[in-house]
Amino acid sequence: MRLLTMVATISLCAAMAVAQERPATFPGTEPLTADKPLDVLMVEGIDRFCLKEIEQARERRESLWKRDFTSTEAYDKSMVPYRDKFRTIIGVVDQRVPATRFEYIEHAPLVTNEFYSVRPVRWAVLAGMTAEGLILDPVGKPHGVVIAIPDSRWSPAEFCGAIHEHLKVVSDLPHLLASNGFRVVIPTLISRDDEFAGNPEIAMTNQTNREWVYRSAFEVGRHVLGYEVQKVLAAVDLLQADKASSNLPLGVAGLGDGGQIALYSAAVDPRIAAVLVSGYFRPREGVWQEPIDRNVWNLLTEFGDAEIAGMITPRPLVLEACAIPETDGPLPIREGRRGGAAPGQIKTADLAAVQAEFKRVRPIYEKLGVANKIQLINNRADGRGIPGSGLATEAFAKSLGVTKFTEHVRTATKEPPYTIDAVAVQKRQVAEAIEFTQKALRKSYKTRDKLFAQADRSSLDKYVTTSEKLREHVYQELIGKLPDPTVAPNPRTRKVLDEKEFTGYEVVLDTYPDVIASGILLWPNDIKPGEKRPVVVCQHGLEGVPMDTISGPGSPGYGPYKSFSAELAKRGFIVYAPQNPYRGRDAFRTLQRKSNPLGRSLFTYIVPQHLVTLRWLASLPNVDKDRLAFYGLSYGGKTAVRVPPLLPSKETEPGYCLSICSADYNEWVFKNASTDLPFSYVFTNEYEIFEWNMANVANYAELSMLMTPRPFMVERGHDDGVGLDEWVAYEYAKVRRHYNKLGIGDRTEIEFFNGPHTINGQGTYDFLHRHLKWPKKS
């Protein structure tokens, strides 16, 4: 007994001596002295980086334009590739139905006065999608035709103002145009109310109708803005096909949101002869603060408002600085509804800001010798007069050939013979947009299949070689790619854990100016000098921190993570638990808003953060750079199918040799865009999660295929509410078939287990031991 006691005492003393010898800073690094939480430092740094990049994009933008000013014809030809690109990013990509006629909904006019009659009308746009609104037909032969687009908070009847004497007059624009001899078409816009934002069989939300349409459309490469531009262009098709109006000058005018649609429509369609944009034109670098339905992927790389206006040159363009309906979202959460709508504001622009953007576009008109074709009008000294003023409308009318313009007094109207149910119209417009998107969603697999068929599957080697183009395409189009980091990583560390089996160090690495990578390194205490071990990178989920993956029972993170980082370290793996920037709620979600207009996403920064991390890990003397594996839960599983596929090992760069996706794998584009699934993100507060055109680029199966020939595994709990077993199995089956067909079926597997949204740590641990060739401890 005395001998055993002596041995135990000696062993304890030795262990204490080793513990005392563990340095406070990991060897080869500088001391980490940051006093703020590293997740906060990371998100704040990326935020600064984004804002600087937005400002620099404006400075770089001009160099991307190759305008030919030798003639108006040459200029218009030089705009073709820019118009094509712009159509794509606003989702104007579907074939419109052939033009036939405007369908008058009622036989009798709604209103008739001495100047014009008003009738409700409908017209076909896309398969299954119509536009509805009003037509104002002038008495006598029209001088021209105008598509007048209201702000989204106004119905066509409110915009028209002459429908009923009890309606508040919000603008004189339609009345002034029609009373001066123009035929006026007024479409309905999707509104900023929340009446139809949701599925009553699942949940209604506090999103605006516009955000509700935006969310699912964005995932399939469409946009609420694109749908509304299509409605305008479909009206142009009809007016051009109509013998009575085909030879008449055709203009587009819009106020507020309608001003945006007018600007965009004229930019992509040279058939529009003149444009009035009232209350919208301004610098767009703050678009991330506006409602999310104005979020356009890659917009600011090439297209500020001035550049979009430049695509209208040499056609007449009247810009009006004026007051507009303002909003400060999200909407209040009504009883029985879910919250989670995106924040966003619309404020009247300062006159100085409007003038500054005007100064950017005016030189384009000047260089083409048509400086007289562009005007900036403000009918009040502070730029806050009424929208669609007589002054702006007269300038617009004269640009369409009217020589005499009169501001006719509006006459009161009697009770109309029938009423227009604006709520029912709005319901149809929202429903048609949603259903069109859902059809595009259901067909999207064909586009992905065609894209990935470009890889040669005749052999494993040929697939690996030919799929490299697909990897680059996915990186550029879906994620958004920055240049590889070149700044020195300047590793800083500090000891935060001192356990029997391992020592933990917080780590910070520089990635880009203002952007850091960080995490916790778990270093096994029994590593021998010169020994090489595999690394497992263990990724936390949404709103998590690295310590969540390490802490034991009783800690907040133990439930889902089961301290899997610590468990793997105890098994002898070197473990690194990174901090990903999806933490801080709106603080990180607005990073996505600031990044999307530059063709970037949150993963634009996460991928380089992991690259810098892998470079540092591979440089450590006890790390086997060819055995760097990834294992992530929830949003960490989201990372597992986005980062490792894009970071294969190369001769000059380390990469991930294996990836495990836990508690996230799904038929992802349906989970994001379906309006019929209760677990779809269209109903939740993750307003940033939608990835532009993902449905037509790569779903989870295609992303997983980019892991080839590296091992890939899915871990799925039967009770995990992120999806259904059937959906997970369906999507994974494509991966299994892919690996089997290439003769490497033993490198992929899926484990289902009885449990919720959590690490199971059974088959996945075996998978790691087997493929990383690391023996289990007895």
Side-chain angles (χ1 to χ4, degrees):
M1 178 65 78
R2 183 179 297 174
L3 179 59
L4 291 175
T5 303
M6 289 176 64
V7 170
T9 302
I10 292 170
S11 298
L12 178 60
C13 290
M16 291 176 64
V18 170
Q20 291 171 355
E21 291 171 4
R22 296 170 192 161
T25 300
F26 191 78
T29 68
E30 296 297 318
L32 175 59
T33 59
D35 52 3
K36 269 190 179 181
L38 298 185
D39 60 290
V40 175
L41 287 175
M42 177 181 291
V43 171
E44 289 178 349
I46 296 175
D47 187 80
R48 291 192 299 273
F49 181 87
C50 289
L51 293 174
K52 289 175 184 177
E53 287 287 297
I54 288 172
E55 290 303 314
Q56 290 171 11
R58 179 174 57 189
E59 298 167 6
R60 293 190 293 255
R61 205 176 293 146
E62 184 60 28
S63 67
L64 301 176
W65 286 78
K66 308 300 178 186
R67 301 181 181 90
D68 187 343
F69 291 104
T70 56
S71 68
T72 55
E73 293 79 10
Y75 182 86
D76 195 60
K77 185 177 180 180
S78 71
M79 290 297 99
V80 170
Y82 299 98
R83 290 193 182 112
D84 290 344
K85 188 177 297 184
F86 189 64
R87 284 190 193 95
T88 299
I89 65 174
I90 63 172
V92 180
V93 295
D94 298 290
Q95 187 71 37
R96 291 189 297 281
V97 298
T100 53
R101 63 184 177 84
F102 288 107
E103 176 189 350
Y104 289 100
I105 298 171
E106 298 285 348
H107 294 294
L110 183 62
V111 169
T112 300
N113 59 36
E114 60 182 303
F115 302 113
Y116 53 84
S117 62
V118 182
R119 297 173 72 177
V121 69
R122 176 189 299 120
W123 64 97
V125 181
L126 304 171
M129 185 185 292
T130 63
E132 293 190 53
L134 298 173
I135 282 187
L136 284 62
D137 281 311
V139 174
K141 187 176 180 179
H143 302 311
V145 290
V146 173
I147 302 165
I149 314 165
D151 184 80
S152 65
R153 280 148 289 198
W154 303 332
S155 69
E158 290 170 318
F159 188 39
C160 184
I163 296 299
H164 194 292
E165 59 187 346
H166 300 304
L167 281 178
K168 178 183 178 182
V169 176
V170 294
S171 174
D172 283 323
L173 178 69
H175 166 73
L176 291 175
L177 289 169
S179 62
N180 277 277
F182 285 97
R183 190 184 195 196
V184 180
V185 180
I186 307 175
T188 300
L189 294 193
I190 304 294
S191 77
R192 296 200 180 280
D193 297 329
D194 64 359
E195 190 68 28
F196 306 110
N199 181 338
E201 295 182 0
I202 299 172
M204 300 303 289
T205 75
N206 72 326
Q207 299 167 35
T208 64
N209 293 337
R210 294 182 74 77
E211 180 177 349
W212 174 245
V213 173
Y214 158 88
R215 286 192 177 202
S216 53
F218 197 82
E219 192 79 8
V220 299
R222 272 68 169 190
H223 207 292
V224 61
L225 297 173
Y227 289 156
E228 292 177 336
V229 168
Q230 291 275 39
K231 291 176 183 182
V232 171
L233 301 187
V236 174
D237 296 340
L238 289 170
L239 293 167
Q240 293 280 290
D242 185 350
K243 290 182 180 179
S245 59
S246 60
N247 293 322
L248 296 175
L250 187 154
V252 173
L255 280 59
D257 290 319
Q260 181 178 23
I261 303 305
L263 181 69
Y264 284 16
S265 299
V268 300
D269 195 336
R271 295 178 299 172
I272 296 170
V275 193
L276 167 59
V277 176
S278 180
Y280 175 76
F281 189 82
R282 67 175 71 187
R284 206 51 60 182
E285 281 67 36
V287 67
W288 60 272
Q289 297 171 296
E290 299 177 35
I292 200 168
D293 56 84
R294 291 184 173 185
N295 179 48
V296 175
W297 176 263
N298 213 16
L299 177 73
L300 296 181
T301 304
E302 292 182 75
F303 303 102
D305 281 10
E307 286 77 21
I308 297 169
M311 291 190 286
I312 297 171
T313 314
R315 292 167 285 156
L317 172 60
V318 179
L319 302 168
E320 183 177 35
C322 61
I324 53 170
E326 298 187 341
T327 188
D328 191 358
L331 295 172
I333 303 171
R334 294 197 280 154
E335 185 177 355
R337 289 184 174 243
R338 289 185 186 176
Q345 297 180 332
I346 295 177
K347 301 294 182 185
T348 297
D350 291 336
L351 179 58
V354 180
Q355 291 171 332
E357 194 70 4
F358 179 74
K359 288 179 181 178
R360 293 183 61 241
V361 66
R362 183 174 173 80
I364 298 174
Y365 275 77
E366 290 174 343
K367 288 180 181 178
L368 207 55
V370 290
N372 62 321
K373 295 291 185 69
I374 185 169
Q375 301 178 63
L376 174 60
I377 291 174
N378 53 294
N379 61 358
R380 214 170 83 174
D382 60 358
R384 293 177 178 267
I386 63 168
S389 65
L391 191 62
T393 306
E394 180 178 5
F396 173 62
K398 288 183 175 178
S399 74
L400 287 168
V402 169
T403 55
K404 183 180 179 181
F405 182 87
T406 304
E407 292 193 34
H408 296 286
V409 176
R410 186 189 298 271
T411 56
T413 57
K414 297 179 181 180
E415 191 74 29
Y418 52 87
T419 59
I420 297 172
D421 189 343
V423 174
V425 172
Q426 184 69 203
K427 183 177 182 179
R428 286 193 294 271
Q429 292 290 286
V430 172
E432 288 175 2
I434 290 294
E435 180 53 28
F436 186 88
T437 297
Q438 296 302 298
K439 287 180 180 177
L441 174 64
R442 292 190 287 271
K443 295 177 181 177
S444 63
Y445 76 93
K446 297 179 181 179
T447 307
R448 299 193 304 272
D449 286 351
K450 184 178 180 181
L451 175 63
F452 273 73
Q454 297 174 16
D456 186 345
R457 288 184 168 88
S458 62
S459 73
L460 180 58
D461 288 343
K462 287 182 179 178
Y463 182 83
V464 171
T465 300
T466 57
S467 64
E468 190 58 38
K469 288 183 179 179
L470 293 173
R471 179 177 290 107
E472 186 65 20
H473 177 74
V474 169
Y475 201 165
Q476 294 281 5
E477 298 299 319
L478 179 62
I479 303 296
K481 188 176 183 181
L482 288 171
D484 284 347
T486 57
V487 299
N490 185 26
R492 289 92 74 196
T493 64
R494 63 186 167 205
K495 185 166 62 176
V496 292
L497 292 167
D498 216 340
E499 303 295 329
K500 176 183 176 183
E501 298 90 350
F502 59 83
T503 306
Y505 292 91
E506 269 190 326
V507 179
V508 170
L509 304 167
D510 292 333
T511 305
Y512 297 106
D514 291 315
V515 180
I516 60 169
S518 69
I520 297 179
L521 174 69
L522 302 185
W523 195 259
N525 292 330
D526 62 351
I527 290 183
K528 299 177 178 63
E531 181 185 11
K532 295 286 188 179
R533 292 197 186 185
V535 176
V536 182
V537 174
C538 296
Q539 187 66 64
H540 65 78
L542 178 65
E543 296 293 346
V545 293
M547 196 62 76
D548 291 339
T549 72
I550 300 168
S551 301
S555 66
Y558 182 77
Y561 296 107
K562 300 297 187 292
S563 60
F564 77 120
S565 288
E567 174 60 29
L568 289 169
K570 292 174 183 178
R571 289 170 175 251
F573 294 103
I574 298 169
V575 173
Y576 188 82
Q579 176 70 58
N580 267 9
Y582 36 70
R583 181 170 168 84
R585 295 180 170 84
D586 282 343
F588 90 80
R589 292 196 163 100
T590 55
L591 296 181
Q592 188 93 322
R593 291 294 315 274
K594 292 163 186 168
S595 300
N596 277 182
L598 298 176
R600 299 171 185 173
S601 67
L602 204 58
F603 279 92
T604 298
Y605 317 106
I606 293 173
V607 176
Q609 285 175 324
H610 279 256
L611 176 58
V612 167
T613 299
L614 291 178
R615 286 173 178 172
W616 180 68
L617 289 170
S619 73
L620 302 182
N622 295 105
V623 167
D624 183 346
K625 66 179 181 62
D626 296 321
R627 290 186 290 169
L628 304 172
F630 186 94
Y631 187 179
L633 173 96
S634 193
Y635 264 52
K638 180 177 163 75
T639 307
V641 294
R642 287 165 178 79
V643 175
L646 300 182
L647 292 180
S649 297
K650 300 178 182 179
E651 289 185 9
T652 57
E653 291 281 15
Y656 283 113
C657 71
L658 173 157
S659 183
I660 299 174
C661 174
S662 178
D664 184 75
Y665 207 80
N666 233 305
E667 213 293 2
W668 187 257
V669 297
F670 268 82
K671 178 176 172 60
N672 275 264
S674 173
T675 54
D676 296 316
L677 297 175
F679 48 81
S680 171
Y681 281 117
V682 297
F683 299 106
T684 72
N685 65 348
E686 283 104 335
Y687 58 81
E688 88 297 339
I689 205 164
F690 305 96
E691 295 163 282
W692 171 249
N693 201 29
M694 185 176 188
N696 295 300
V697 177
N699 203 347
Y700 269 21
E702 290 79 23
L703 290 172
S704 305
M705 291 173 192
L706 293 178
M707 280 298 297
T708 311
R710 297 165 288 162
F712 175 74
M713 183 176 179
V714 173
E715 184 177 47
R716 161 72 191 175
H718 290 309
D719 303 319
D720 191 341
V722 301
L724 300 172
D725 284 354
E726 294 85 348
W727 286 79
V728 177
Y730 165 79
E731 191 69 7
Y732 175 75
K734 303 173 193 177
V735 183
R736 168 82 78 183
R737 178 181 61 205
H738 170 77
Y739 271 67
N740 281 339
K741 286 286 189 179
L742 291 174
I744 54 171
D746 60 333
R747 299 184 194 178
T748 187
E749 59 186 83
I750 187 169
E751 180 188 53
F752 291 94
F753 65 93
N754 281 320
H757 190 74
T758 183
I759 293 288
N760 189 45
Q762 299 296 318
T764 52
Y765 289 177
D766 290 342
F767 193 78
L768 289 167
H769 281 290
R770 182 167 68 255
H771 289 287
L772 294 178
K773 297 180 174 59
W774 183 251
K776 296 181 182 179
K777 290 187 176 182
S778 57

